[in-house]
Amino acid sequence: MEDPNPSSSFSDHYLVSGNNSLTGLEDYTVDGQNGSLGFMELLGVPDYGPSVLDMLQVLPNQNQNSMVDQESSEVLNTPATPNFSSISSESSGGDGQNDEQTKEVVDEEDDEEGEQKQKTQKQLKPVKTSQKRQREPRYAFMTKSEVDHLEDGYRWRKYGQKAVKNSPFPRSYYRCTTASCSVKKRIERSLSDPTIVMTTYEGQHTHPSPLMSRANTVAALTPCSGFSTGASTATSIPSPLQMSLSAAGADQVYCNYSTPLNFGFMGSTNINRAAIAHQKRFCTPPSAFITDYGLLQDIVPSTVRKEE
DNA sequence: CGTATTTGACCCGCGC
DNA sequence: GCGCGGGTCAAATACG
């Protein structure tokens, strides 16, 4: 019963890959394919072109089967095995084309905001709406990290925390601090591997990353210069190494044992540094994700990008 | 003093 | 209908 990978009722797609063992992580790289969408992409950093979330809506049409789809059909029935064997094949399995491991995003996010407001109102005072609350697509990232809250370029405010059933680790709820942005994210630790942080994003940013925009300038000058912003919250830039697993509530799950790319705008706190240092060990440059985005290319040394 | 976090209470959806 | 669990609110508190 304590299925660590319960088929989340609302996951449209997700991969189940046991991964207690991180063995082979270093090998598990993204050859620019396999679809590792960058974390930032997934966050929809506008500065770099269409947000990934947007892309996600389109990609499926372009890529008959997103990696996730392909995998899911296969993996879903696979018991979560604590090893990466299947994962490796997965990554390599990519014939090098299913880069956009994305898949259909069912909900349209047109009036995302309005909906959010409705939701809020509904919460405050019951408003009868014939349509039931719509959920925005969610994207989960699994990052091996010692810190729960990883830097992702945006600023978040924690608005709640709940104990998770069958898990000793609480789940934290964050909301983008930008007024007009209703993006939310949940952070929780993997039950199967406490060192893995599962970050689930919901919604799409309607603004450029506050950190990124600044990083744009900074990074251009000094890719790794410290980026001490006023952000008090930690953030991170996980670079998804595809493999996914079941993350509660995620429509899509990206497993990422890498970590915040050394974008240089990591928080300056010791904790972050420590985390980064730790994470680096598992860091695998998300080349795929870097590919078309100028800034990232600027930030991440090409050698690193190709290295995998 | 302004902002972020904590935390208990409340609401809602869903399964039984 | 009821209970449970997830998600959110908002007052209290902490922090810089």
Side-chain angles (χ1 to χ4, degrees):
Chain A
M1 88 187 248
E2 261 66 56
D3 180 355
N5 296 300
S7 298
S8 187
S9 61
F10 46 99
S11 16
D12 295 321
H13 302 278
Y14 67 92
L15 302 183
V16 179
S17 290
N19 53 357
N20 289 333
S21 159
L22 296 178
T23 305
L25 278 181
E26 286 83 0
D27 297 331
Y28 187 66
T29 56
V30 211
D31 252 353
Q33 68 243 43
N34 222 350
S36 303
L37 280 180
F39 189 70
M40 295 303 281
E41 296 173 40
L42 289 165
L43 291 180
V45 178
D47 289 3
Y48 309 133
S51 80
V52 172
L53 293 181
D54 284 337
M55 292 167 64
L56 291 176
Q57 297 179 313
V58 178
L59 289 173
N61 299 326
Q62 305 175 325
N63 288 305
Q64 45 302 68
N65 297 317
S66 65
M67 175 195 112
V68 174
D69 279 338
Q70 297 175 0
E71 303 301 336
S72 62
S73 58
E74 182 176 300
V75 184
L76 275 176
N77 297 324
T78 306
T81 55
N83 67 47
F84 272 78
S85 55
S86 63
I87 293 165
S88 309
S89 57
E90 239 175 73
S91 66
S92 59
D95 38 344
Q97 282 313 336
N98 18 350
D99 348 337
E100 287 69 342
Q101 64 193 40
T102 55
K103 51 10 193 4
E104 75 242 78
V105 171
V106 266
D107 313 334
E108 69 280 297
E109 343 204 4
D110 322 1
D111 38 17
E112 209 171 279
E113 282 180 40
E115 217 165 275
Q116 286 289 338
K117 287 175 186 170
Q118 268 191 344
K119 255 197 241 178
T120 304
Q121 286 190 333
K122 195 171 179 181
Q123 188 104 13
L124 296 176
K125 68 160 66 173
V127 176
K128 48 181 141 200
T129 56
S130 52
Q131 62 181 48
K132 70 168 142 170
R133 187 195 299 188
Q134 259 188 315
R135 232 197 13 226
E136 297 178 32
R138 296 175 178 175
Y139 303 88
F141 295 86
M142 306 202 55
T143 306
K144 184 172 182 64
S145 169
E146 289 177 349
V147 294
D148 290 342
H149 196 189
L150 307 166
E151 285 282 334
D152 60 9
Y154 290 90
R155 296 189 61 186
W156 303 90
R157 167 171 357 212
K158 188 175 185 175
Y159 67 87
Q161 178 172 305
K162 287 279 287 189
V164 180
K165 190 186 176 194
N166 295 327
S167 173
F169 309 104
R171 174 182 297 149
S172 297
Y173 299 88
Y174 294 85
R175 180 175 293 150
C176 183
T177 59
T178 301
S180 59
C181 185
S182 59
V183 176
K184 286 176 274 189
K185 75 173 178 181
R186 300 184 311 205
I187 296 178
E188 64 183 287
R189 287 200 172 273
S190 169
L191 219 188
S192 55
D193 187 343
T195 64
I196 294 178
V197 176
M198 296 195 292
T199 304
T200 304
Y201 288 84
E202 182 176 335
Q204 189 172 353
H205 288 288
T206 60
H207 59 96
S209 161
L211 297 188
M212 266 320 217
S213 58
R214 290 174 65 176
N216 247 332
T217 305
V218 177
L221 299 173
T222 56
C224 285
S225 62
F227 191 79
S228 171
T229 68
S232 59
T233 49
T235 12
S236 93
I237 301 187
S239 45
L241 278 189
Q242 56 305 4
M243 283 172 6
S244 7
L245 8 161
S246 65
D251 286 328
Q252 295 185 42
V253 183
Y254 300 87
C255 191
N256 140 33
Y257 288 98
S258 62
T259 125
L261 301 176
N262 312 315
F263 280 0
F265 53 80
M266 303 305 298
S268 57
T269 61
N270 291 330
I271 202 167
N272 272 335
R273 287 189 180 131
I276 295 167
H278 169 75
Q279 295 179 336
K280 277 182 178 178
R281 278 183 268 155
F282 303 93
C283 182
T284 305
S287 55
F289 139 63
I290 298 166
T291 311
D292 291 308
Y293 300 88
L295 175 56
L296 295 182
Q297 292 178 330
D298 288 340
I299 297 171
V300 181
S302 58
T303 53
V304 173
R305 297 202 305 266
K306 299 192 152 188
E307 180 159 30
E308 62 341 342

